[in-house]
Amino acid sequence: MRVIIVKNAEEVGKRAADLIEQEMKQHRNPVLGLATGSTPIPTYKELIRRCKKGKGMDFSTAITFNLDEYVGLPGTHDQSYRYFMNHQLFNHVNVNKKNTHVPNGMVRGMKAIQQSCDEYETMIDDVGGVDMQLLGIGGNGHIGFNEPGSSLGSMTRIKTLSLRTRKDNARFFKSMREVPRLAITMGIGTILKARKVVLLATGESKAQAVADSLEGPVSAMCPASALQLHRFATYVIDKGAASKLTLDTYEH
Ligand code: F6R
């Protein structure tokens, strides 16, 4: 695995934007897997800056698939991941919104939900798969909303959020009661199908999860450790997130 350690969150954003830009330039219709949360915000800011500068950063032919969405929040809700993506990236670059996909959290009934999850997988396959998947990591090692204990072969499906994740995300909601309990998420198997994976982590609160996922065993108890099985997985992390790593072979 490639591990790039940089000074701070801003540098993580720049290095991640470099990787995304290089990848996009290699494809006529680049297919990007995208994440929400605090960590990728500097990356999106940098992509927007490069797009506005008109220096060859072009989203007009890009196709995007987001990792996850809360169940029960419409895209107009300011804590839905569709809303996040529109406001943090899509509204500010020349992407065609019709080519941006976020799992549908508003489908009712277990059968219909699973059908919509299966359709999400099919849509990804129909465009030839994800070229580069961007990820954050939860303090408990989750990727997407694949909480500890998730099957390493899982595909897009509904998941119950752990109490830790709900508490971590409560900062975005008025009260803990409003934090959804369920989410639709790409599975770990879906993520592993992407041709390249780039995981971003910043801050000491992620240090244990980063160390477990890179230097611990592959285990469903640390879902990000499944990336050890991927041929082209890159971590771009800051010093805080790297503070519990023990090997001295990483890139600085
Ligand atoms: C978001 C997602 C999550 C986050 C993770 C870290 O789409 O899939 O796995 O990447 O919870 O969140 P932040 O970046 O807010 O610490």
Side-chain angles (χ1 to χ4, degrees):
M1 294 176 80
R2 184 173 180 205
V3 179
I4 304 170
I5 302 171
V6 297
K7 203 169 62 185
N8 54 31
E10 199 188 334
E11 290 299 315
V12 168
K14 285 190 186 145
R15 290 300 289 267
D18 289 345
L19 295 173
I20 294 168
E21 184 173 356
Q22 281 160 21
E23 186 65 28
M24 287 179 76
K25 286 190 170 147
Q26 287 173 37
H27 306 278
R28 190 199 292 243
N29 289 104
V31 183
L32 298 176
L34 298 175
T36 59
S38 314
T39 314
I41 290 178
T43 305
Y44 296 150
K45 282 212 168 92
E46 180 62 17
L47 291 174
I48 293 166
R49 196 184 68 79
R50 293 182 191 192
C51 206
K52 288 203 167 133
K53 239 171 57 180
K55 291 234 165 158
M57 190 82 225
D58 178 19
F59 280 85
S60 62
T61 60
I63 303 169
T64 69
F65 289 92
N66 262 80
L67 281 166
D68 41 20
E69 179 60 284
Y70 289 119
V71 167
L73 299 193
T76 47
H77 189 290
D78 64 4
Q79 291 311 324
S80 75
Y81 286 171
R82 161 53 76 182
Y83 186 97
F84 175 101
M85 288 311 301
N86 285 348
H87 288 263
Q88 297 294 340
L89 183 67
F90 300 151
N91 289 349
H92 310 287
V93 296
N94 62 339
V95 73
N96 181 346
K97 284 238 184 84
K98 284 196 189 124
N99 293 331
T100 67
H101 307 88
V102 179
N104 185 351
M106 292 305 285
V107 179
R108 296 273 158 105
M110 280 304 169
K111 212 169 151 197
I113 290 174
Q114 192 48 53
Q115 194 177 335
S116 130
C117 293
D118 293 345
E119 282 164 14
Y120 202 67
E121 292 285 337
T122 305
M123 281 194 288
I124 295 173
D125 292 343
D126 284 350
V127 296
V130 169
D131 293 311
M132 181 172 273
Q133 175 69 53
L134 197 62
L135 297 172
I137 183 169
N140 61 3
H142 74 213
I143 46 176
F145 275 135
N146 296 286
E147 299 284 31
S150 292
S151 154
L152 301 186
S154 51
M155 294 288 151
T156 304
R157 69 213 183 292
I158 190 166
K159 282 294 287 179
T160 304
L161 299 178
S162 68
L163 189 57
R164 165 133 191 217
T165 296
R166 291 185 64 236
K167 280 185 180 159
D168 283 349
N169 291 1
R171 66 190 192 277
F172 299 116
F173 292 84
K174 284 196 201 89
S175 71
M176 184 65 187
R177 269 196 331 166
E178 285 183 30
V179 185
R181 292 169 187 276
L182 298 171
I184 310 288
T185 181
M186 281 187 194
I188 298 173
T190 320
I191 292 166
L192 292 176
K193 275 196 308 185
R195 279 179 283 282
K196 290 180 191 157
V197 176
V198 175
L199 183 143
L200 312 179
T202 52
E204 281 177 21
S205 64
K206 301 296 173 68
Q208 192 61 52
V210 164
D212 290 346
S213 68
L214 282 169
E215 297 182 351
V218 174
S219 159
M221 289 311 286
C222 178
S225 68
L227 301 177
Q228 293 176 30
L229 300 170
H230 198 285
R231 283 180 68 202
F232 297 107
T234 302
Y235 274 46
V236 185
I237 59 181
D238 72 357
K239 288 201 167 127
S243 58
K244 292 202 169 148
L245 293 175
T246 61
L247 300 180
D248 57 7
T249 45
Y250 303 126
E251 282 175 49
H252 281 82

